[in-house]
Amino acid sequence: RELLDPELYARNKSRRFDAFYGKSWGLFHYLYFSAERNGQLGQYLRLIAAGTGQAEAAVAAFGDLDALDKELDRYLTQRRMKVYVLPPEMLSAAEVTVRRLSDGEAEIMPLRIRSQRGVSREEARELLPDVREIAAEFPQDAGVLAALAEAEYDAGNVDEAIAAADAAIAIDPTRKNAYVQKGFALFARAAEADDENAPAAYQEAMQPFSALNRLENDHPLPLIYYYRSFAQRGVEPNETAMHALDRAAQLAPFDHGLAINAALMHGQSGNIAMAQHYLGPVAANPHGGGAAREAQLLLDQLEDAEEGKPWRRRPVLDLTDIVNAVAAKAAELEQDEDPGEGADPAG
């Protein structure tokens, strides 16, 4: 039950030894190979994708969970288990090439890792002097200059980011991250443009993303930013832009924010079923955090929406984080106020 009910697991996980990860794999293995339960795993996944809660979907697909638990325990004590062999001819792979890093790329790699992992504006500004120092040492290294463009953009230096990206592209026109960072910077600049100049600013901002799309047709970012070139200036996206956002969400299913944006786009167009299709897996993610809560709120709002009629989200204040923070602070204060052994209670 705890494997299939996130709330039950959350209530009990700190009370004893936790074998969640291993037993989850055991359950998957059993359901995959069990002849008696053939098709149940697929049914469970379809229910989850449709937005059914995990515990409810588990009962609907597997029936008595106590019986399943006993079967799983017996399965895991077997001396032998089935395996599925994937011979090489069943797998196809693109050509893989490996090259040695240049001296500059090797030196800047630790800083590049920190940038790409994600930094706040303040952290980026602390990192920037070190990146600039290496860039000054290797001014003709496209990889170093692309990393410099990212560091400049993260620090809020739009003009410097564009200059570094242009320098990288002039040396090596295949440097994808240089196009990405230039596109980010130009979009930031376009967001500040007035209504009269916005169309031209966004058209310019799309140029590096269009070049990136020519280098890698299935890169999600050009597709996302083509849609944003309409949405960010309050213009109704055309059909091509909507298809682009759809395609991006298909290419990057791990991006929950992108799935929510695709759902909102479809909801506003009256495609209610598609909106629910995107939101279901996000809402059912037990580790989804705020994105899962937002997706569930939107699914609740979509319950009464009519297919074919444009739908708009209603503003909802999610107090979950605030309530949790207040509860933690209250517990902390209560602990501080404990007089302790030997103290004067009246004091």
Side-chain angles (χ1 to χ4, degrees):
R1 291 181 183 276
E2 290 179 6
L3 297 182
L4 298 165
D5 185 341
E7 293 182 5
L8 179 62
Y9 172 73
R11 289 198 298 270
N12 296 333
K13 67 178 180 178
S14 61
R15 298 182 183 177
R16 60 186 180 280
F17 173 77
D18 192 329
F20 182 92
Y21 185 82
K23 200 163 184 181
S24 293
W25 268 112
L27 177 60
F28 172 81
H29 198 278
Y30 173 61
L31 291 170
Y32 187 86
F33 286 107
S34 171
E36 294 79 8
R37 293 186 173 273
N38 183 39
Q40 291 185 359
L41 181 59
Q43 182 187 359
Y44 173 70
L45 295 175
R46 285 191 293 273
L47 289 167
I48 292 293
T52 306
Q54 285 183 265
E56 183 184 349
V59 172
F62 308 131
D64 184 350
L65 297 186
D66 291 333
L68 177 60
D69 197 44
K70 292 175 182 176
E71 292 173 29
L72 179 58
D73 285 341
R74 286 196 298 271
Y75 183 73
L76 294 175
T77 58
Q78 292 181 136
R79 293 178 63 87
R80 297 170 66 87
M81 288 187 179
K82 293 180 180 179
V83 296
Y84 188 75
V85 178
L86 293 173
E89 59 269 18
M90 288 185 65
L91 303 175
S92 60
E95 182 182 353
V96 176
T97 57
V98 180
R99 66 172 177 84
R100 184 179 296 277
L101 293 175
S102 67
D103 291 343
E105 287 176 306
E107 188 167 339
I108 207 167
M109 184 59 73
L111 303 177
R112 179 182 170 190
I113 290 170
R114 288 170 62 186
S115 286
Q116 294 200 349
R117 184 183 181 277
V119 289
S120 65
R121 180 61 55 83
E122 183 179 346
E123 291 168 339
R125 287 173 176 167
E126 291 174 0
L127 196 67
L128 185 57
D130 293 336
V131 178
R132 284 178 172 173
E133 184 178 341
I134 296 173
E137 187 180 350
F138 299 95
Q140 295 302 312
D141 191 312
V144 172
L145 293 172
L148 174 63
E150 182 167 1
E152 295 283 8
Y153 174 73
D154 289 342
N157 304 325
V158 170
D159 293 340
E160 291 84 350
I162 294 170
D166 281 339
I169 292 167
I171 296 167
D172 181 359
T174 67
R175 287 283 169 176
K176 295 175 185 176
N177 193 38
Y179 292 103
V180 169
Q181 302 307 321
K182 183 176 181 180
F184 286 167
L186 286 171
F187 260 80
R189 180 186 285 174
E192 302 297 323
D194 56 34
D195 292 344
E196 183 180 350
N197 295 313
Y202 279 103
Q203 185 175 4
E204 181 186 6
M206 273 306 303
Q207 289 177 7
F209 285 120
S210 297
L212 176 57
N213 181 254
R214 288 191 292 273
L215 283 175
E216 184 180 336
N217 192 247
D218 280 339
H219 198 303
L221 285 176
L223 305 173
I224 294 168
Y225 274 83
Y226 181 59
Y227 180 84
R228 287 187 180 179
S229 69
F230 291 85
Q232 284 188 198
R233 56 193 173 99
V235 175
E236 191 73 25
N238 61 29
E239 191 172 345
T240 303
M242 294 176 68
H243 283 313
L245 191 66
D246 247 338
R247 178 62 178 155
Q250 293 163 12
L251 291 169
F254 50 83
D255 189 333
H256 292 167
L258 179 56
I260 289 173
N261 283 331
L264 291 171
M265 174 189 73
H266 281 291
Q268 290 163 11
S269 300
N271 303 324
I272 307 304
M274 278 300 298
Q276 293 168 327
H277 168 78
Y278 275 116
L279 292 170
V282 181
N285 181 5
H287 309 294
R293 292 196 298 272
E294 182 180 2
Q296 187 58 58
L297 289 169
L298 293 173
L299 279 173
D300 293 342
Q301 291 188 17
L302 282 164
E303 277 187 4
D304 300 325
E306 186 176 341
E307 188 71 32
K309 287 192 175 181
W311 166 87
R312 299 279 177 180
R313 68 184 301 173
R314 299 188 298 274
V316 175
L317 181 62
D318 183 3
L319 298 176
T320 306
D321 293 335
I322 297 173
V323 170
N324 289 341
V326 170
K329 188 64 178 175
E332 182 184 319
L333 292 173
E334 186 176 327
Q335 210 169 30
D336 290 344
E337 291 172 3
D338 185 353
E341 186 178 350
D344 178 8

